[in-house]
Amino acid sequence: MTSGPLSARVAGICVDAAARIGGPTRAQLLDVQRRLGEPLRVAIAGRLKAGKSTLVNSLIGRRVAQTEVGECTRVVTQFRYGTSDRVDVVRRDGSRASLPLDDLGMIPQRLGVPSHDIAYVDVTLTSDRLRDLTVVDTPGLSSTNTSVSAGTRRFLFNEAPIDDDIDPDSAGALSGAEAIIYVFTQSVREDDVQALESFRSMSSRLSSNPINSVGLFNKVDKLAGAGTDPWGVAAALATDQRRVLRRVVSDVVPVIGLLAETTEAGRLTAADCEALRELARLPESERLVLLASVDLFANRECSIDAEQRQRLLRLLDLYGIGYAIAALTAQPQLATGELLRMLLAASGIARLRQTLEETFRWRTDAIKAGWALSSLEKIASHAPQPRDREMLRDAIERVLQEPEYHRLRLLEVAQLVTTGAVDLPDQMEGELTRLALSTDPGWILNLPGAPQQHLADAALQAASRWRAFAVAGASPAQSRVALVAHRGFHLLSQRVRGQAAYS
């Protein structure tokens, strides 16, 4: 099933064109049509040891991705929904080698295929979290090399269908991510920005830009000193990071990935919770000493045996342990389920999920349709027959001229503005970005809860402002952006008035 009317229309172009075109071009068209019916594909990128795989496990709700460096962390791995749990190592020739999950339910560290022969690892899981989201875990970028590997390029940026070095069977499976989460810790370095720029430069029109890229500030618990709350510092740093990355990501979200993984994947057992309760019953002076450092917590004499304390460190780290002990000290009768909910809330993962909902899923249809049209443009440029090239380009142009496809134009001009290619005053940039990112009139117009008539009038006023800007004082580039925004707000006003008429 396609994700919406935009995707359905583009999928129709693929089917119609494939009926009249043969050879490799036909296969590429059908591959794009197939991808339009799949869930939104989000790639997790970032440097080594930033916590990408931990985030993957949190999003999936199961601890499946290996978090220790090994063979399986050096290749692209996609996680998608399936009716059974299965791990397939896909070779570059398109053949597959199936592996069982290991005894802990994770991808085996050793894949049994030479790494240079591996195109990617395909993991299907029965997790409901994957019904409308496919997650792609990418190899980490080293601190000295921010280039993206050829394999990652092929997988993320849909270069495979037009890459003569890739076997056609593999090319059908390798395809581009439609959105990116970039993971980093504490400070954003220049090479982080360069890495995101390289993702964008290699991607298609809508595959990597601030409109559908999010920065994830991971491991914020490492900002905490003994007994201190890291979130105040994290919020200030995230604000700074948003300014640095504003041209490459739409938002920066702080999170404690380990805490999220432990709670989302249900790793904390009844025995673990009982150990935390016993620690909470210790004298305050003893608790303070234990929580002063990881070494003291692991090795100091204590009524809780060292093995159990080591396990708690692996699951929660010192901040999570201290948070749980503080909660249990304040409320000794706190139920285990409520403690787990509190730990989940303390991880920050709920904010991330909300951001993903707002940043990606609200506009999945437009993102996927934009990605598909970009792919069709690439296919058209490589089609061997001139008549096929012209037919595809004509079909693309007809789609973009239809009124309901103005949303794609909004995404395109918002990309120009958010990446700095076209400068606008900050207030206008924010207004345009909201218009491109959402279909919620109250959010777009910054008037939550306002009556329909009020929203319709505000949208019409916004359309007039953008029109006035376009014809008086704007540069040619700004004028082109402003006219697209003008029409977008005019269409929004018409839509809101139509809804009010039926309410």
Side-chain angles (χ1 to χ4, degrees):
M1 179 182 295
T2 52
S3 56
L6 297 175
S7 297
R9 177 71 174 89
V10 181
I13 291 176
C14 295
V15 173
D16 292 344
R20 292 181 279 173
I21 297 176
T25 303
R26 180 178 186 275
Q28 292 161 13
L29 290 168
L30 292 177
D31 183 60
V32 172
Q33 184 255 339
R34 175 186 58 81
R35 274 291 309 279
L36 281 166
E38 294 178 353
L40 183 73
R41 184 170 301 198
V42 177
I44 314 299
R47 66 177 64 255
L48 290 169
K49 298 184 179 179
K52 298 187 306 301
S53 297
T54 299
L55 172 63
V56 168
N57 291 332
S58 302
L59 292 174
I60 294 173
R62 289 176 54 179
R63 194 165 188 261
V64 179
Q66 289 282 358
T67 55
E68 299 296 328
V69 175
E71 284 184 7
C72 61
T73 61
R74 297 190 179 99
V75 297
V76 174
T77 305
Q78 76 166 2
F79 299 85
R80 57 190 179 89
Y81 180 79
T83 55
S84 62
D85 294 346
R86 180 185 178 98
V87 178
D88 282 347
V89 180
V90 183
R91 298 185 181 91
R92 297 200 181 281
D93 64 2
S95 62
R96 291 174 174 251
S98 294
L99 298 173
L101 295 172
D102 67 15
D103 293 340
L104 298 176
M106 303 179 74
I107 300 170
Q109 277 282 17
R110 296 195 173 277
L111 300 175
V113 176
S115 59
H116 61 271
D117 287 338
I118 299 175
Y120 67 103
V121 177
D122 185 25
V123 182
T124 59
L125 300 169
T126 56
S127 170
D128 284 341
R129 298 270 183 86
L130 295 173
R131 286 187 181 273
D132 58 355
L133 188 71
T134 292
V135 179
V136 181
D137 193 5
T138 67
L141 306 172
S142 72
S143 59
T144 58
N145 179 15
T146 59
S147 65
V148 181
S149 72
T152 302
R153 288 177 59 149
R154 285 192 297 268
F155 197 97
L156 294 184
F157 305 126
N158 201 31
E159 294 184 357
I162 56 174
D163 191 330
D164 294 335
D165 296 330
I166 302 299
D167 181 89
D169 292 334
S170 299
L174 298 172
S175 48
E178 295 128 355
I180 289 176
I181 299 174
Y182 190 85
V183 186
F184 54 88
T185 58
Q186 294 197 18
S187 60
V188 177
R189 291 181 275 187
E190 181 61 28
D191 51 359
D192 285 309
V193 180
Q194 291 172 356
L196 275 163
E197 291 285 3
S198 71
F199 275 111
R200 186 172 69 200
S201 65
M202 289 186 297
S203 65
S204 61
R205 181 174 53 191
L206 293 175
S207 288
S208 177
N209 61 74
I211 298 302
N212 57 331
S213 299
V214 168
L216 185 78
F217 174 17
N218 196 14
K219 303 184 181 181
V220 302
D221 55 313
K222 299 301 184 184
L223 300 170
T228 62
D229 186 346
W231 285 100
V233 178
L237 285 176
T239 298
D240 293 341
Q241 291 161 354
R242 287 186 193 98
R243 284 195 289 266
V244 173
L245 297 172
R246 67 185 295 262
R247 296 303 184 193
V248 284
V249 300
S250 62
D251 198 3
V252 171
V253 181
V255 72
I256 303 175
L258 178 62
L259 207 53
E261 180 194 60
T262 294
T263 49
E264 290 279 44
R267 299 185 65 204
L268 213 61
T269 65
D272 298 324
C273 292
E274 184 53 41
L276 290 168
R277 292 182 189 280
E278 188 170 340
L279 287 167
R281 289 192 288 266
L282 293 174
E284 182 180 5
S285 59
E286 181 62 15
R287 295 199 307 269
L288 288 174
V289 173
L290 283 172
L291 294 174
S293 73
V294 169
D295 184 62
L296 284 169
F297 186 84
N299 298 311
R300 185 175 171 83
E301 288 295 322
C302 178
S303 57
I304 304 296
D305 67 72
E307 184 177 348
Q308 176 65 70
R309 281 180 282 157
Q310 290 281 5
R311 174 175 164 80
L312 289 175
L313 284 170
R314 290 194 299 273
L315 293 175
L316 301 173
D317 211 344
L318 202 60
Y319 171 76
I321 294 168
Y323 184 93
I325 290 175
L328 291 167
T329 302
Q331 303 179 64
Q333 304 306 315
L334 188 67
T336 296
E338 184 58 29
L339 174 63
L340 293 175
R341 283 190 288 273
M342 291 175 68
L343 287 168
L344 178 63
S347 74
I349 193 70
R351 162 78 190 285
L352 175 63
R353 290 194 181 281
Q354 179 184 3
T355 300
L356 296 183
E357 190 75 22
E358 294 172 353
T359 304
F360 297 159
R361 293 186 185 175
W362 281 5
R363 55 189 186 279
T364 292
D365 185 32
I367 290 175
K368 289 180 75 68
W371 165 84
L373 287 172
S374 296
S375 298
L376 290 181
E377 288 173 351
K378 286 184 179 180
I379 292 170
S381 68
H382 288 74
Q385 298 297 325
R387 62 179 179 83
D388 294 341
R389 291 197 293 270
E390 293 307 313
M391 180 186 68
L392 286 171
R393 286 169 176 157
D394 287 348
I396 293 168
E397 189 59 32
R398 285 197 300 273
V399 167
L400 292 176
Q401 288 176 353
E402 296 175 10
E404 60 267 33
Y405 287 86
H406 190 71
R407 191 159 180 76
L408 293 179
R409 295 200 183 279
L410 282 170
L411 284 170
E412 289 175 353
V413 297
Q415 176 189 352
L416 292 174
V417 172
T418 55
T419 57
V422 176
D423 288 325
L424 285 178
D426 288 345
Q427 184 175 352
M428 296 185 75
E429 179 177 333
E431 191 173 56
L432 172 62
T433 302
R434 291 195 301 273
L435 179 63
L437 298 191
S438 178
T439 58
D440 179 357
W443 189 75
I444 294 169
L445 298 163
N446 205 19
L447 294 169
Q452 295 285 81
Q453 186 59 50
H454 190 180
L455 291 172
D457 292 343
L460 198 57
Q461 291 167 9
S464 298
R465 286 198 308 272
W466 281 93
R467 175 70 179 176
F469 177 73
V471 299
S475 69
Q478 290 174 328
S479 181
R480 286 191 291 272
V481 169
L483 288 173
V484 173
H486 158 73
R487 187 168 186 229
F489 277 108
H490 185 73
L491 292 172
L492 177 63
S493 177
Q494 289 181 330
R495 176 164 64 85
V496 174
R497 290 188 194 281
Q499 291 171 347
Y502 288 100
S503 61

